[in-house]
Amino acid sequence: MRRTSDSGLSEAGLRRVREVLTRHVESKRIPGLVALVGHGGRTCVEAIGTMRHDGGAPMRRDTIFRMASTSKPVTMAAAMVLLDECRLRLDEPVDPWLPELADRRVLKRPDGPLEDTVAARRPITVRDLLTSTFGLGVDFELLDSPIRAATFARTDYSVASGPAPGPDEWMRRLGELPLSYQPGERWQYDLSNEVVGVLVARVTGRPLEAFLRERVLDPLGMKDTGFHVPADRIDRLPPLYGPDPQTGEFLVWDEAVGGRSSRPPAFQGAGGGLVSTVDDYHAYFRMLLNHGVHGGERILSRAAVELMTTNRLTTGQQAARNAMYANVAHMTVGQGLLGGWGFGMAVRTHRNGYAPVGQFGWDGGTGTTVYADPEHRLTGILLTQVGMSTPDSSRLMHDFWTTLYQAVED
């Protein structure tokens, strides 16, 4: 890895990281990648391979990637600003801003028929949304259930499903559904973050991206982060591949020019819609490690950062989340098994690998991984253009973290 200065990481360890990343690219299963390691105030970067699977332009430090679910830790900062300003309160109902979620019905059985419901015991609160416990979301134990099919049909806007409608129509569709669990009862993935994005927009009276840019992205110098790639930068965006699970053939999920990321979306997806670079994300996670301060300017309060980056789940919620991810560990090479969940990101509550307790961050289905480690003042970012339709990008992420922690000297 090229170093901007003495990084506090061993030379032998950095060589090992580079060798392992290079081996994955040379396997022809990962066309290219950009990796960044921040240790204290020092940075090491490596760009390996090419933008396309058949060659062409090389990966560069400023290559722009679709961040997928690693969007969550960044977009959550907009909600934290509103908490800091007392424009949102954790334990107040969201009904005034999200009337579509008022007076909820809840399934008697999470896998039961959609019409078999009871009244919600209480309203959905801001805290329920920020902790992903409001009652709906991806649940690996309910993949074949009626509520999962209905939720997917109404709210999904993945590459395969086509673009989402505007936020008001999206919320209307969501409001037609019963909850699968009572508010606050169970952690479920993803959907809550999208609702948080709509909540921020309605509280501020502005599009999510406009508020996020003013209060977070611009102050941090995250000039390449947003919900689409402008035309004058589109040459820095690689295609997104989803390899065929049987043959490994590189299938294009999304092209750069004319693709989904080339134009502003009607729905600014807080859960997975950002594009960004390693340096932009390094600025954000370095701010979190610095307790909310960047370049002498406070972006978030220290208390807000602590809320985001420490476990916010109850013992019961955490146990259910552990069990849910343990059942799909063969798909994720251990990702998601950190134990805890803060606001918009995972938090490691037990040591089951090379990383220590307290590490926070998340992974993305487009082949992205970003975590920070307060104990070692360490940030790791690895971005690829290969989705998780095969285990290849997950294995790359696993090997990145395993070798990176071997390089830490202090």
Side-chain angles (χ1 to χ4, degrees):
M1 284 187 143
R2 295 182 294 276
R3 301 181 299 157
T4 56
S5 58
D6 183 10
S7 68
L9 303 171
S10 74
E11 291 287 352
L14 290 175
R15 283 196 302 271
R16 177 64 173 155
V17 174
R18 182 170 59 247
E19 289 167 1
V20 166
L21 297 181
T22 300
R23 188 174 71 215
H24 278 272
V25 172
E26 290 177 345
S27 75
K28 305 300 184 183
R29 294 185 176 92
I30 303 291
L33 60 87
V34 182
L36 182 148
V37 177
H39 187 269
R42 303 177 178 93
T43 307
C44 314
V45 177
E46 189 69 62
I48 305 173
T50 55
M51 300 268 279
R52 303 191 69 91
H53 79 92
D54 50 1
M59 284 288 181
R60 306 187 325 191
R61 181 169 180 160
D62 67 351
T63 296
I64 298 172
F65 293 87
R66 302 160 186 82
M67 299 305 294
S69 287
T70 48
S71 302
K72 293 174 170 63
V74 173
T75 57
M76 186 59 70
M80 304 312 293
V81 169
L82 297 179
L83 287 178
D84 277 345
E85 295 180 346
C86 299
R87 298 166 74 181
L88 285 176
R89 300 175 184 88
L90 279 173
D91 294 307
E92 284 193 347
V94 297
D95 298 2
W97 304 286
L98 303 174
E100 298 92 341
L101 297 184
D103 302 319
R104 289 293 79 206
R105 303 293 297 181
V106 183
L107 293 175
K108 289 183 180 178
R109 293 195 348 261
D111 60 349
L114 298 183
E115 62 276 7
D116 193 11
T117 64
V118 297
R121 291 193 288 264
R122 63 165 175 81
I124 295 167
T125 66
V126 173
R127 186 187 301 271
D128 295 330
L129 290 178
L130 300 190
T131 56
S132 296
T133 60
F134 84 105
L136 277 174
V138 177
D139 191 319
F140 297 121
E141 296 177 6
L142 297 177
L143 292 181
D144 297 324
S145 65
I147 188 60
R148 170 57 180 161
T151 304
F152 187 86
R154 285 168 173 79
T155 65
D156 184 70
Y157 60 97
S158 65
V159 171
S161 303
D168 291 345
E169 171 61 16
W170 189 88
M171 283 299 306
R172 185 194 67 77
R173 296 179 187 181
L174 182 67
E176 294 176 344
L177 299 170
L179 303 181
S180 53
Y181 289 94
Q182 289 285 344
E185 181 179 355
R186 182 179 173 93
W187 184 91
Q188 293 176 289
Y189 185 52
D190 192 48
L191 196 59
S192 62
N193 293 91
E194 309 292 21
V195 181
V196 169
V198 179
L199 175 66
V200 168
R202 290 187 177 177
V203 171
T204 62
R206 304 172 64 190
L208 169 63
E209 183 172 13
F211 184 73
L212 183 69
R213 186 165 302 287
E214 177 188 334
R215 302 304 299 273
V216 180
L217 303 182
D218 284 351
L220 289 171
M222 298 174 68
K223 62 184 184 300
D224 289 320
T225 302
F227 287 100
H228 83 288
V229 181
D232 61 353
R233 305 178 199 174
I234 200 71
D235 62 313
R236 292 161 52 195
L237 178 73
L240 173 62
Y241 295 110
D244 184 283
Q246 278 72 47
T247 67
E249 177 188 359
F250 282 103
L251 305 177
V252 176
W253 276 355
D254 190 41
E255 271 291 1
V257 177
R260 290 164 59 90
S261 296
S262 68
R263 54 191 178 271
F267 186 89
Q268 296 174 351
L274 288 181
V275 295
S276 192
T277 63
V278 290
D279 283 296
D280 278 13
Y281 259 63
H282 186 215
Y284 181 78
F285 275 77
R286 187 170 51 194
M287 177 272 291
L288 296 182
L289 286 177
N290 202 33
H291 312 294
V293 174
H294 173 79
E297 179 181 356
R298 181 159 292 284
I299 309 299
L300 297 173
S301 71
R302 185 182 186 117
V305 173
E306 290 172 352
L307 273 173
M308 293 176 73
T309 62
T310 55
N311 183 36
R312 303 269 57 87
L313 300 185
T314 66
T315 301
Q317 291 166 348
Q318 187 168 327
R321 180 175 182 273
N322 288 348
M324 187 191 311
Y325 270 98
N327 290 334
V328 294
H330 66 285
M331 295 169 54
T332 61
V333 197
Q335 284 138 13
L337 298 181
L338 287 80
W341 190 260
F343 290 166
M345 67 189 87
V347 180
R348 191 174 295 280
T349 56
H350 57 274
R351 185 154 194 166
N352 61 354
Y354 282 59
V357 170
Q359 183 199 46
F360 57 82
W362 198 225
D363 309 297
T366 51
T368 59
T369 183
V370 185
Y371 287 87
D373 172 356
E375 178 182 338
H376 296 104
R377 301 288 297 171
L378 178 73
T379 302
I381 303 167
L382 173 65
L383 308 180
T384 80
Q385 76 278 57
V386 180
M388 293 187 182
S389 53
T390 65
D392 297 311
S393 55
S394 292
R395 288 169 177 159
L396 167 63
M397 294 177 196
H398 175 275
D399 295 353
F400 170 66
W401 290 109
T402 299
T403 51
L404 174 55
Y405 271 103
Q406 295 174 60
V408 176
E409 286 188 318
D410 55 359

